[in-house]
Amino acid sequence: MRTTLRALIGSAAVSLCIGSAHAQDVLKQWGISYGGYLDAYYQYDFGHPQDGDNVNGRGIDIAHNRPNLAFAELDLSRATSAKSPFGFTLDLYVGRGPELINLAEPGGRNKYRYFRQLYVTYAAPGKSAVTVDLGKFDTWIGYEGADNRFQDEYSRSFNWTYSEPTYETGLRVNAKLGDTLNGALYLVQGWNEVEDGNDGKSIGATLSYAPDAKTTLTLQNHYGVEGSDSVNDAGSYGGIGFANPGTATVNLVDFIASRQVTPSTKLVFNLDYGSSAGSTNGGHWNGEVVYLRQQIDTAQAASLRLERVEDSDGVRVGLPIKLYSLTGAYDRTLNKYATLRFELRHDIADADFFNSNSGARKDRTTATVAAIVKF
C-alpha cells in the first residue's frame, strides 16, 4: 500500500515537472505560485546494522542499504501585495521524513504530518515592513532546516536532531528595525507541537544583524514550558520528546554567524545552548557546528561540516553522551530541475551508541547518494 502511494505521488510530481501549463496559468490568475520537489536517497552504513535496526541518531536519513523516499512535497503560496495585504503558504509533503519529524506530535503522529507549513500572512500597510504569520511554520532556530533543496549536506547534524525543534505552531511577527537589523517575535504552542502537550506556551525572539553585504549575525531564543504527562506515539513526552513524564522550563539560545568569504566560498558557525529545569527532565545540552561550502562552478559544489554535541545529563539523547561528526558532500547539478548529492560521514561517540551487527559501538561511517528533483 505504501509503495503504491509513493508511486502515485511520484508520478503526479513528474507530471507537474513536465506539463500542466494550463494549471499554471489558472494559478497565476489567482496570484498563486506553486512548486515542489522529490527527495530520494540510498545510504550504506559500514557498521552493517542488523535487519530492522535503523541508522540511529539521524533525524531523517535512517535507512540502511535500501532506497528510501525522504520527501515528496508540493508548495502553494500567495504573496502579499499593495493591493492585497493577505497571503498564505501551504506546503504539503509525504515520505519517511514527515513520518519521523511528526513522531512526537502530542496530537498524534499522523494527524498533521502531511502539513509541513500552513499559515496565513498579513503585511501591515505603509513603510513599517511588518508582517504577521499565523499557523504552522518551520522553526526559526538553527542554520539547518527540513528542506533538502537548501541544505549544504544531505544528512542532518546531531545538533539539528537533538538540540533544536523542527516546527512551530502559533504567531510570528517579523519587522525591519533598520537598514542592517531585522527582528522577529514568536508565540507558539511549543517544541514540535500543533496541539500543546501542556498548559504552557513558548515564546521566542530573533535579532539578525548584517554589518555588510557578506556577513550576517543572528541571535535567537526559544523559551517556555515543554513536556507532558501524557505519552506520545513515539513513547516519549511532549513534542520535545522527553524520556520521562512531566514538564520543564526549557531555554534554548541559538547563535549563527555567516560569512561569504569569497563569491564562491561560504563559512558558517552555529552554536546552541539549551537548559531544562524540571523535577524529572532537568539538564543542559550544547552543540557547535562549523560549515564550509565551496561553489566549484555553476554545476558543482563541495561542502564540509564539523560538529560536536554534548548532552551531559541525557535529557535530549536519552543518556549522557558526547557526539562528534565530520561530513563531506559533493553536489552535481544536472539541470535546473535535478541535483545529485554524494555524502561521506563519520560519527564518533564517547559511549557505545551506534547500531551495528556486533552490538552498539562508538563510531560509524556512512556513505549516501541522493537525488533531488525540483519542479
Side-chain angles (χ1 to χ4, degrees):
M1 181 67 179
R2 180 179 296 176
T3 301
T4 303
L5 178 61
R6 289 177 177 175
L8 289 173
I9 292 169
S11 298
V14 170
S15 297
L16 282 173
C17 287
I18 62 177
S20 194
H22 175 68
Q24 188 174 13
D25 289 341
V26 172
L27 291 173
K28 282 185 177 180
Q29 290 176 5
W30 294 341
I32 297 174
S33 300
Y34 82 86
Y37 74 106
L38 295 173
D39 172 4
Y41 72 93
Y42 171 82
Q43 179 170 247
Y44 192 83
D45 182 347
F46 292 94
H48 310 289
Q50 295 179 358
D51 290 343
D53 283 346
N54 293 319
V55 182
N56 62 318
R58 302 285 182 85
I60 294 174
D61 58 317
I62 68 169
H64 162 63
N65 198 25
R66 60 186 185 274
N68 201 275
L69 176 66
F71 297 100
E73 180 169 314
L74 173 65
D75 305 325
L76 298 169
S77 64
R78 186 177 188 273
T80 60
S81 65
K83 294 182 179 180
S84 176
F86 291 96
F88 74 88
T89 297
L90 172 60
D91 300 332
L92 299 169
Y93 62 4
V94 296
R96 188 61 171 139
E99 294 177 19
L100 297 169
I101 288 171
N102 289 272
L103 270 179
E105 165 61 46
R109 63 181 179 180
N110 294 320
K111 195 170 184 179
Y112 307 102
R113 84 176 198 206
Y114 301 112
F115 297 91
R116 176 187 155 201
Q117 298 192 106
L118 174 56
Y119 61 88
V120 294
T121 299
Y122 172 74
K127 299 180 179 180
S128 59
V130 174
T131 61
V132 181
D133 299 318
L134 179 64
K136 181 186 179 186
F137 43 83
D138 294 340
T139 187
W140 61 94
I141 297 293
Y143 174 69
E144 298 178 40
D147 193 331
N148 263 332
R149 288 172 291 185
F150 309 109
Q151 304 308 307
D152 293 340
E153 281 77 30
Y154 186 78
S155 66
R156 300 306 185 277
S157 64
F158 290 128
N159 196 51
W160 183 89
T161 302
Y162 292 115
S163 299
E164 304 169 347
T166 307
Y167 65 86
E168 316 281 353
T169 306
L171 184 69
R172 173 174 62 190
V173 181
N174 290 281
K176 188 173 178 60
L177 305 177
D179 292 338
T180 60
L181 189 65
N182 292 286
L185 295 174
Y186 312 86
L187 175 62
V188 296
Q189 295 281 59
W191 188 304
N192 293 351
E193 294 183 340
V194 175
E195 297 184 21
D196 202 348
N198 54 67
D199 294 331
K201 304 302 178 186
S202 293
I203 59 175
T206 295
L207 278 177
S208 183
Y209 172 60
D212 56 58
K214 299 179 180 180
T215 307
T216 303
L217 305 174
T218 304
L219 181 64
Q220 309 184 107
N221 177 246
H222 194 295
Y223 177 87
V225 176
E226 306 291 349
S228 177
D229 292 322
S230 301
V231 67
N232 57 36
D233 289 344
S236 57
Y237 297 86
I240 195 170
F242 281 143
N244 303 305
T247 60
T249 300
V250 174
N251 185 29
L252 175 62
V253 177
D254 175 73
F255 174 72
I256 305 169
S258 177
R259 174 73 175 176
Q260 195 70 40
V261 181
T262 72
S264 58
T265 306
K266 179 180 66 174
L267 182 64
V268 180
F269 173 69
N270 187 195
L271 168 68
D272 281 307
Y273 179 80
S275 64
S276 177
S279 59
T280 57
N281 294 298
H284 300 81
W285 67 91
N286 60 85
E288 303 84 38
V289 194
V290 176
Y291 305 84
L292 177 65
R293 183 172 176 85
Q294 178 69 39
Q295 194 69 40
I296 301 169
D297 55 34
T298 57
Q300 300 179 91
S303 59
L304 284 173
R305 180 180 65 204
L306 177 64
E307 70 163 322
R308 169 191 177 274
V309 170
E310 180 179 9
D311 184 9
S312 56
D313 302 291
V315 70
R316 298 302 302 128
V317 182
L319 74 162
I321 198 169
K322 293 180 183 178
L323 297 167
Y324 308 84
S325 76
L326 176 63
T327 306
Y330 169 75
D331 286 4
R332 178 71 184 184
T333 301
L334 304 180
N335 51 49
K336 66 179 182 178
Y337 300 111
T339 298
L340 292 178
R341 176 165 289 172
F342 305 88
E343 180 182 282
L344 186 64
R345 172 169 171 170
H346 186 63
D347 299 327
I348 299 174
D350 68 345
D352 291 333
F353 179 70
F354 303 115
N355 292 334
S356 77
N357 60 358
S358 58
R361 53 189 294 177
K362 294 182 178 180
D363 67 292
R364 173 180 64 199
T365 300
T366 58
T368 308
V369 57
I372 301 169
V373 180
K374 299 175 284 187
F375 58 89

